[in-house]
Amino acid sequence: MKQSLFVYNTLTRKKEEFTPLNAPHVGMYVCGPTVYSDVHLGNCRTYISFDLIFRYLNHLGYKVRYVRNITDAGHLEDDSDTGEDKISKKAKIAKVEPMEIAQKYTVGFREVLGIFNTLPPSIEPTATGHIIEQIELVKEMIANGYAYEVDGSIYFDVEKYNKNFDYGVLSGRNLEDMLNNTRSLGGQEEKHGKLDFALWIKAKPEHLMKWPSPWGVGFPGWHLECSAMSHKYLGDQFDIHGGGLDLVPTHHTNEIAQNEACFNKTPAKYWVHTNMLTVNGQKMSKSLGNSFLPHELFTGHNAILNKGYSPMTVRFFMLQAHYRSTLDFGNEAMEASEKGFKRLMNAFSLLDGLKASATTEAEITPLRERCYEALNDDFNSPVLIAELFEASRIINSVHDGKMAIDAANLQQLKDLMNDFVTEILGLKNEQASTDELPKVVDFIVNLRNEAKTNRDYATSDKIRDGLQKIGIQLKDAKEGTTWTKI
């Protein structure tokens, strides 16, 4: 039974049949992190969601080029066109080179996503590695009449662009409303219009990260880099552009404007966005004091949850919600996910020991079709997981001798669980995968060492005591910190 994949497209605000521009090849670009701090859970939710999409498209036989950038320059405070570069600011405080900050947090980002068992992208380009491409795009926009120079800085002319295109096509807002609801910011008098945004910014003498350009020494605007890198590796137009929902109003809107101004076409056919995280119904944010980092979720050292949860439990928890729905962290929800994950993995571990009968009471083909139906409906992982619990019920019934299954259906059942649990959902049985434990503990020990180096002894002690509670004892010595299971 051939089924079609349908994807919700933010651009058209409806589900559309997925038809790649150049099948079987699929181009997918996802906006990566700005590497000035530890990756937060909202980022993790986005990248786990796109890992599911990447895995499923590969499973369907598509040849996917997945590009996810690293922003290591050009992202200013408050996502604006003024202020300090986020990475440079952190470097000044730490008295190190900006690239040391970028390297440290890039490594940390990859470590966390590795712990969550996400596959690496096909290409992971950096903003600093594509300055030439960004300058070339700016030249093209100036030549096409959509950008202008003011004292060494280049701005995009939104109102002029909107005469030929629709600046609010992605957000659904019209230009007049945007102009009326946008306040004029100090220090931006040189712009022609309130909505104009920087493509290239003249660097002040104290600015650390800067490059020569036809307009003087400066650095690229945050929005420009994604247009340059997606175009370089995926062409004038590609299949999927993704990111968090918070990127729609400005970053992705400006990306579309830049690409249309250069190439006269929208960069991506399908725009896919993940929703935000909440904690007990409130938006997760530092200002509300309810945000926590992945390692704080693993160890339980946060003010919200009663205990820590394993990486695979957290991945399972995130996949139990549809990527376009709000994901709410809370004690009850996490505990329920932990039980559900263990139930699924316990059934999975029984598969190899099941014995086939001459007859069967379990037909697996309809169940497999329902699993595909779930994922073909905009990657509906919660519905898929519900079907996998039905598969778990069959496994347990066969194991307990309450249901007969013949060899053909047993093999189908094994294939179904391997395909959907392991290959597509990316879940692993943590009890069986003891080789992953050292990676997780070493990661947490490194975080503790950082806390000690920063004289944050309260956090250092919390990590040590928390590990001891879950059966991991640390021993500090001159040579470093070692750990043992107790």
Side-chain angles (χ1 to χ4, degrees), residues 48 60 69 77 85 106 118 128 140 175-176 215 227-228 241 251 305 318 331 350 374 383 387 408 447 453 458 476:
I48 287 171
L60 292 178
N69 71 295
E77 297 174 284
D85 179 285
T106 298
T118 66
T128 55
E140 189 74 18
L175 192 69
E176 187 177 342
W215 318 285
S227 286
H241 195 312
H251 185 55
L305 301 177
M318 290 186 176
N331 284 300
L350 297 175
V383 173
E387 297 295 352
L447 291 169
T453 301
D476 295 318

PDB file of all heavy atoms in Angstrom, residues 48 60 69 77 85 106 118 128 140 175-176 215 227-228 241 251 305 318 331 350 374 383 387 408 447 453 458 476:
ATOM      1  N   ILE A  48      16.140  17.471  17.867  1.00  0.00           N
ATOM      2  CA  ILE A  48      15.609  16.111  17.975  1.00  0.00           C
ATOM      3  C   ILE A  48      14.441  15.942  16.994  1.00  0.00           C
ATOM      4  O   ILE A  48      14.300  14.894  16.353  1.00  0.00           O
ATOM      5  CB  ILE A  48      15.185  15.803  19.429  1.00  0.00           C
ATOM      6  CG1 ILE A  48      16.442  15.612  20.295  1.00  0.00           C
ATOM      7  CG2 ILE A  48      14.304  14.559  19.498  1.00  0.00           C
ATOM      8  CD1 ILE A  48      16.165  15.527  21.788  1.00  0.00           C
ATOM      9  N   LEU A  60      12.620   6.352   4.044  1.00  0.00           N
ATOM     10  CA  LEU A  60      11.769   6.276   2.853  1.00  0.00           C
ATOM     11  C   LEU A  60      12.573   6.137   1.564  1.00  0.00           C
ATOM     12  O   LEU A  60      12.001   5.939   0.495  1.00  0.00           O
ATOM     13  CB  LEU A  60      10.867   7.509   2.765  1.00  0.00           C
ATOM     14  CG  LEU A  60       9.782   7.647   3.845  1.00  0.00           C
ATOM     15  CD1 LEU A  60       9.004   8.942   3.642  1.00  0.00           C
ATOM     16  CD2 LEU A  60       8.841   6.451   3.854  1.00  0.00           C
ATOM     17  N   ASN A  69      23.809  24.918  10.196  1.00  0.00           N
ATOM     18  CA  ASN A  69      24.943  25.820  10.371  1.00  0.00           C
ATOM     19  C   ASN A  69      25.345  26.001  11.833  1.00  0.00           C
ATOM     20  O   ASN A  69      24.595  25.687  12.756  1.00  0.00           O
ATOM     21  CB  ASN A  69      24.618  27.189   9.770  1.00  0.00           C
ATOM     22  CG  ASN A  69      23.591  27.927  10.617  1.00  0.00           C
ATOM     23  OD1 ASN A  69      22.449  27.496  10.733  1.00  0.00           O
ATOM     24  ND2 ASN A  69      23.991  29.024  11.227  1.00  0.00           N
ATOM     25  N   GLU A  77      23.554  41.139  20.374  1.00  0.00           N
ATOM     26  CA  GLU A  77      22.656  41.073  21.529  1.00  0.00           C
ATOM     27  C   GLU A  77      21.237  41.460  21.125  1.00  0.00           C
ATOM     28  O   GLU A  77      21.028  42.329  20.276  1.00  0.00           O
ATOM     29  CB  GLU A  77      23.144  42.030  22.625  1.00  0.00           C
ATOM     30  CG  GLU A  77      24.505  41.672  23.187  1.00  0.00           C
ATOM     31  CD  GLU A  77      24.998  42.735  24.147  1.00  0.00           C
ATOM     32  OE1 GLU A  77      25.442  43.799  23.674  1.00  0.00           O
ATOM     33  OE2 GLU A  77      24.934  42.498  25.351  1.00  0.00           O
ATOM     34  N   ASP A  85      28.543  41.692  19.662  1.00  0.00           N
ATOM     35  CA  ASP A  85      28.434  40.316  19.196  1.00  0.00           C
ATOM     36  C   ASP A  85      28.391  39.409  20.424  1.00  0.00           C
ATOM     37  O   ASP A  85      29.193  39.561  21.360  1.00  0.00           O
ATOM     38  CB  ASP A  85      29.650  39.996  18.328  1.00  0.00           C
ATOM     39  CG  ASP A  85      29.632  38.572  17.803  1.00  0.00           C
ATOM     40  OD1 ASP A  85      29.916  37.658  18.596  1.00  0.00           O
ATOM     41  OD2 ASP A  85      29.371  38.390  16.617  1.00  0.00           O
ATOM     42  N   THR A 106      30.676  24.869  20.597  1.00  0.00           N
ATOM     43  CA  THR A 106      30.378  23.978  19.467  1.00  0.00           C
ATOM     44  C   THR A 106      30.604  22.528  19.883  1.00  0.00           C
ATOM     45  O   THR A 106      29.775  21.644  19.605  1.00  0.00           O
ATOM     46  CB  THR A 106      31.262  24.314  18.252  1.00  0.00           C
ATOM     47  OG1 THR A 106      30.991  25.655  17.827  1.00  0.00           O
ATOM     48  CG2 THR A 106      30.979  23.365  17.089  1.00  0.00           C
ATOM     49  N   THR A 118      21.212  11.953  18.311  1.00  0.00           N
ATOM     50  CA  THR A 118      20.847  12.549  17.025  1.00  0.00           C
ATOM     51  C   THR A 118      21.966  12.271  16.027  1.00  0.00           C
ATOM     52  O   THR A 118      23.145  12.242  16.385  1.00  0.00           O
ATOM     53  CB  THR A 118      20.639  14.073  17.127  1.00  0.00           C
ATOM     54  OG1 THR A 118      21.877  14.700  17.443  1.00  0.00           O
ATOM     55  CG2 THR A 118      19.598  14.422  18.170  1.00  0.00           C
ATOM     56  N   THR A 128      31.782  32.090   9.960  1.00  0.00           N
ATOM     57  CA  THR A 128      33.108  32.661   9.691  1.00  0.00           C
ATOM     58  C   THR A 128      33.793  31.996   8.507  1.00  0.00           C
ATOM     59  O   THR A 128      34.688  32.582   7.901  1.00  0.00           O
ATOM     60  CB  THR A 128      34.020  32.543  10.926  1.00  0.00           C
ATOM     61  OG1 THR A 128      34.092  31.173  11.339  1.00  0.00           O
ATOM     62  CG2 THR A 128      33.501  33.386  12.076  1.00  0.00           C
ATOM     63  N   GLU A 140      25.142  41.442  -4.696  1.00  0.00           N
ATOM     64  CA  GLU A 140      24.008  41.132  -5.577  1.00  0.00           C
ATOM     65  C   GLU A 140      22.772  41.944  -5.182  1.00  0.00           C
ATOM     66  O   GLU A 140      22.061  42.474  -6.046  1.00  0.00           O
ATOM     67  CB  GLU A 140      23.706  39.627  -5.487  1.00  0.00           C
ATOM     68  CG  GLU A 140      22.696  39.116  -6.504  1.00  0.00           C
ATOM     69  CD  GLU A 140      23.251  39.030  -7.911  1.00  0.00           C
ATOM     70  OE1 GLU A 140      24.491  39.040  -8.079  1.00  0.00           O
ATOM     71  OE2 GLU A 140      22.442  38.954  -8.853  1.00  0.00           O
ATOM     72  N   LEU A 175       2.719  44.666   5.779  1.00  0.00           N
ATOM     73  CA  LEU A 175       3.790  45.622   6.050  1.00  0.00           C
ATOM     74  C   LEU A 175       3.307  46.795   6.893  1.00  0.00           C
ATOM     75  O   LEU A 175       4.018  47.249   7.804  1.00  0.00           O
ATOM     76  CB  LEU A 175       4.368  46.134   4.722  1.00  0.00           C
ATOM     77  CG  LEU A 175       5.679  46.922   4.856  1.00  0.00           C
ATOM     78  CD1 LEU A 175       6.815  46.008   5.265  1.00  0.00           C
ATOM     79  CD2 LEU A 175       6.014  47.623   3.544  1.00  0.00           C
ATOM     80  N   GLU A 176       2.112  47.281   6.633  1.00  0.00           N
ATOM     81  CA  GLU A 176       1.604  48.433   7.372  1.00  0.00           C
ATOM     82  C   GLU A 176       1.497  48.128   8.858  1.00  0.00           C
ATOM     83  O   GLU A 176       1.894  48.936   9.708  1.00  0.00           O
ATOM     84  CB  GLU A 176       0.229  48.835   6.816  1.00  0.00           C
ATOM     85  CG  GLU A 176      -0.293  50.133   7.408  1.00  0.00           C
ATOM     86  CD  GLU A 176      -1.624  50.551   6.799  1.00  0.00           C
ATOM     87  OE1 GLU A 176      -1.970  50.034   5.705  1.00  0.00           O
ATOM     88  OE2 GLU A 176      -2.306  51.384   7.414  1.00  0.00           O
ATOM     89  N   TRP A 215      33.169  47.660   1.367  1.00  0.00           N
ATOM     90  CA  TRP A 215      32.617  48.838   2.059  1.00  0.00           C
ATOM     91  C   TRP A 215      33.417  49.187   3.311  1.00  0.00           C
ATOM     92  O   TRP A 215      32.982  49.999   4.117  1.00  0.00           O
ATOM     93  CB  TRP A 215      31.158  48.556   2.403  1.00  0.00           C
ATOM     94  CG  TRP A 215      30.476  47.875   1.259  1.00  0.00           C
ATOM     95  CD1 TRP A 215      30.078  48.457   0.088  1.00  0.00           C
ATOM     96  CD2 TRP A 215      30.206  46.478   1.135  1.00  0.00           C
ATOM     97  NE1 TRP A 215      29.561  47.506  -0.762  1.00  0.00           N
ATOM     98  CE2 TRP A 215      29.619  46.273  -0.150  1.00  0.00           C
ATOM     99  CE3 TRP A 215      30.378  45.366   1.959  1.00  0.00           C
ATOM    100  CZ2 TRP A 215      29.227  45.031  -0.614  1.00  0.00           C
ATOM    101  CZ3 TRP A 215      29.992  44.126   1.512  1.00  0.00           C
ATOM    102  CH2 TRP A 215      29.422  43.952   0.238  1.00  0.00           C
ATOM    103  N   SER A 227      21.269  32.590   4.481  1.00  0.00           N
ATOM    104  CA  SER A 227      21.006  32.691   3.040  1.00  0.00           C
ATOM    105  C   SER A 227      22.229  32.254   2.246  1.00  0.00           C
ATOM    106  O   SER A 227      22.116  31.526   1.247  1.00  0.00           O
ATOM    107  CB  SER A 227      20.629  34.131   2.665  1.00  0.00           C
ATOM    108  OG  SER A 227      19.319  34.443   3.091  1.00  0.00           O
ATOM    109  N   ALA A 228      23.414  32.690   2.681  1.00  0.00           N
ATOM    110  CA  ALA A 228      24.640  32.368   1.953  1.00  0.00           C
ATOM    111  C   ALA A 228      24.947  30.871   2.000  1.00  0.00           C
ATOM    112  O   ALA A 228      25.283  30.259   0.975  1.00  0.00           O
ATOM    113  CB  ALA A 228      25.812  33.163   2.533  1.00  0.00           C
ATOM    114  N   HIS A 241      13.164  24.023   4.829  1.00  0.00           N
ATOM    115  CA  HIS A 241      13.911  24.919   5.712  1.00  0.00           C
ATOM    116  C   HIS A 241      13.252  24.843   7.075  1.00  0.00           C
ATOM    117  O   HIS A 241      12.035  24.995   7.194  1.00  0.00           O
ATOM    118  CB  HIS A 241      13.882  26.352   5.184  1.00  0.00           C
ATOM    119  CG  HIS A 241      14.906  27.251   5.828  1.00  0.00           C
ATOM    120  ND1 HIS A 241      15.097  27.316   7.185  1.00  0.00           N
ATOM    121  CD2 HIS A 241      15.809  28.122   5.291  1.00  0.00           C
ATOM    122  CE1 HIS A 241      16.057  28.172   7.468  1.00  0.00           C
ATOM    123  NE2 HIS A 241      16.513  28.680   6.322  1.00  0.00           N
ATOM    124  N   HIS A 251      14.004  36.301  11.583  1.00  0.00           N
ATOM    125  CA  HIS A 251      15.134  35.640  10.930  1.00  0.00           C
ATOM    126  C   HIS A 251      14.724  34.961   9.627  1.00  0.00           C
ATOM    127  O   HIS A 251      15.331  35.193   8.576  1.00  0.00           O
ATOM    128  CB  HIS A 251      15.766  34.625  11.885  1.00  0.00           C
ATOM    129  CG  HIS A 251      17.009  33.982  11.343  1.00  0.00           C
ATOM    130  ND1 HIS A 251      18.101  34.713  10.900  1.00  0.00           N
ATOM    131  CD2 HIS A 251      17.345  32.678  11.164  1.00  0.00           C
ATOM    132  CE1 HIS A 251      19.046  33.895  10.481  1.00  0.00           C
ATOM    133  NE2 HIS A 251      18.610  32.650  10.620  1.00  0.00           N
ATOM    134  N   LEU A 305      12.049  19.962  38.635  1.00  0.00           N
ATOM    135  CA  LEU A 305      11.748  18.527  38.647  1.00  0.00           C
ATOM    136  C   LEU A 305      12.274  17.851  39.909  1.00  0.00           C
ATOM    137  O   LEU A 305      13.276  18.272  40.491  1.00  0.00           O
ATOM    138  CB  LEU A 305      12.344  17.867  37.399  1.00  0.00           C
ATOM    139  CG  LEU A 305      11.854  18.431  36.061  1.00  0.00           C
ATOM    140  CD1 LEU A 305      12.569  17.756  34.902  1.00  0.00           C
ATOM    141  CD2 LEU A 305      10.338  18.264  35.918  1.00  0.00           C
ATOM    142  N   MET A 318      10.115  14.052  24.468  1.00  0.00           N
ATOM    143  CA  MET A 318       9.953  15.060  23.418  1.00  0.00           C
ATOM    144  C   MET A 318       9.200  14.500  22.214  1.00  0.00           C
ATOM    145  O   MET A 318       8.375  15.198  21.605  1.00  0.00           O
ATOM    146  CB  MET A 318      11.321  15.596  22.993  1.00  0.00           C
ATOM    147  CG  MET A 318      11.995  16.451  24.059  1.00  0.00           C
ATOM    148  SD  MET A 318      13.527  17.194  23.458  1.00  0.00           S
ATOM    149  CE  MET A 318      13.984  18.204  24.885  1.00  0.00           C
ATOM    150  N   ASN A 331       6.708  17.377  36.545  1.00  0.00           N
ATOM    151  CA  ASN A 331       7.055  16.114  37.196  1.00  0.00           C
ATOM    152  C   ASN A 331       6.178  14.954  36.728  1.00  0.00           C
ATOM    153  O   ASN A 331       6.673  13.872  36.414  1.00  0.00           O
ATOM    154  CB  ASN A 331       6.959  16.270  38.721  1.00  0.00           C
ATOM    155  CG  ASN A 331       8.149  17.039  39.281  1.00  0.00           C
ATOM    156  OD1 ASN A 331       9.287  16.627  39.129  1.00  0.00           O
ATOM    157  ND2 ASN A 331       7.875  18.172  39.912  1.00  0.00           N
ATOM    158  N   LEU A 350      12.385  -8.294  24.716  1.00  0.00           N
ATOM    159  CA  LEU A 350      11.837  -9.657  24.694  1.00  0.00           C
ATOM    160  C   LEU A 350      11.789 -10.253  23.287  1.00  0.00           C
ATOM    161  O   LEU A 350      11.598 -11.466  23.132  1.00  0.00           O
ATOM    162  CB  LEU A 350      10.414  -9.662  25.276  1.00  0.00           C
ATOM    163  CG  LEU A 350      10.253  -9.266  26.745  1.00  0.00           C
ATOM    164  CD1 LEU A 350       8.766  -9.200  27.096  1.00  0.00           C
ATOM    165  CD2 LEU A 350      10.981 -10.243  27.666  1.00  0.00           C
ATOM    166  N   ALA A 374       0.876   7.285  10.522  1.00  0.00           N
ATOM    167  CA  ALA A 374       1.172   8.286  11.551  1.00  0.00           C
ATOM    168  C   ALA A 374       2.284   9.227  11.089  1.00  0.00           C
ATOM    169  O   ALA A 374       2.131  10.456  11.123  1.00  0.00           O
ATOM    170  CB  ALA A 374       1.562   7.600  12.858  1.00  0.00           C
ATOM    171  N   VAL A 383       1.281   9.632  17.643  1.00  0.00           N
ATOM    172  CA  VAL A 383       0.412   8.562  17.144  1.00  0.00           C
ATOM    173  C   VAL A 383       1.242   7.315  16.841  1.00  0.00           C
ATOM    174  O   VAL A 383       0.826   6.182  17.123  1.00  0.00           O
ATOM    175  CB  VAL A 383      -0.368   9.028  15.894  1.00  0.00           C
ATOM    176  CG1 VAL A 383      -1.141   7.868  15.273  1.00  0.00           C
ATOM    177  CG2 VAL A 383      -1.326  10.158  16.268  1.00  0.00           C
ATOM    178  N   GLU A 387       0.924   3.421  18.447  1.00  0.00           N
ATOM    179  CA  GLU A 387       0.914   2.158  17.684  1.00  0.00           C
ATOM    180  C   GLU A 387       2.023   1.221  18.161  1.00  0.00           C
ATOM    181  O   GLU A 387       1.842  -0.009  18.194  1.00  0.00           O
ATOM    182  CB  GLU A 387       1.082   2.446  16.191  1.00  0.00           C
ATOM    183  CG  GLU A 387      -0.040   3.261  15.559  1.00  0.00           C
ATOM    184  CD  GLU A 387      -1.389   2.536  15.548  1.00  0.00           C
ATOM    185  OE1 GLU A 387      -1.449   1.342  15.894  1.00  0.00           O
ATOM    186  OE2 GLU A 387      -2.387   3.197  15.197  1.00  0.00           O
ATOM    187  N   ALA A 408       6.378 -15.803   9.975  1.00  0.00           N
ATOM    188  CA  ALA A 408       6.345 -14.641   9.075  1.00  0.00           C
ATOM    189  C   ALA A 408       5.939 -13.374   9.832  1.00  0.00           C
ATOM    190  O   ALA A 408       6.560 -12.310   9.679  1.00  0.00           O
ATOM    191  CB  ALA A 408       5.386 -14.900   7.920  1.00  0.00           C
ATOM    192  N   LEU A 447      31.522  19.126  33.339  1.00  0.00           N
ATOM    193  CA  LEU A 447      30.739  20.293  33.766  1.00  0.00           C
ATOM    194  C   LEU A 447      31.067  20.655  35.217  1.00  0.00           C
ATOM    195  O   LEU A 447      31.175  21.826  35.571  1.00  0.00           O
ATOM    196  CB  LEU A 447      29.243  20.014  33.616  1.00  0.00           C
ATOM    197  CG  LEU A 447      28.727  19.912  32.180  1.00  0.00           C
ATOM    198  CD1 LEU A 447      27.306  19.382  32.178  1.00  0.00           C
ATOM    199  CD2 LEU A 447      28.764  21.271  31.500  1.00  0.00           C
ATOM    200  N   THR A 453      36.488  25.238  38.469  1.00  0.00           N
ATOM    201  CA  THR A 453      37.422  26.228  37.915  1.00  0.00           C
ATOM    202  C   THR A 453      36.874  27.641  38.086  1.00  0.00           C
ATOM    203  O   THR A 453      37.630  28.584  38.371  1.00  0.00           O
ATOM    204  CB  THR A 453      37.671  25.946  36.414  1.00  0.00           C
ATOM    205  OG1 THR A 453      38.207  24.628  36.280  1.00  0.00           O
ATOM    206  CG2 THR A 453      38.636  26.956  35.816  1.00  0.00           C
ATOM    207  N   ALA A 458      29.186  25.509  44.956  1.00  0.00           N
ATOM    208  CA  ALA A 458      27.827  25.020  45.267  1.00  0.00           C
ATOM    209  C   ALA A 458      27.348  24.082  44.152  1.00  0.00           C
ATOM    210  O   ALA A 458      26.830  22.986  44.422  1.00  0.00           O
ATOM    211  CB  ALA A 458      26.871  26.198  45.413  1.00  0.00           C
ATOM    212  N   ASP A 476      38.242  12.794  43.644  1.00  0.00           N
ATOM    213  CA  ASP A 476      39.124  13.844  43.157  1.00  0.00           C
ATOM    214  C   ASP A 476      40.563  13.552  43.558  1.00  0.00           C
ATOM    215  O   ASP A 476      40.842  13.190  44.702  1.00  0.00           O
ATOM    216  CB  ASP A 476      38.698  15.213  43.721  1.00  0.00           C
ATOM    217  CG  ASP A 476      37.327  15.638  43.208  1.00  0.00           C
ATOM    218  OD1 ASP A 476      37.060  15.447  42.016  1.00  0.00           O
ATOM    219  OD2 ASP A 476      36.520  16.154  44.013  1.00  0.00           O
TER     220      ASP A 476
END
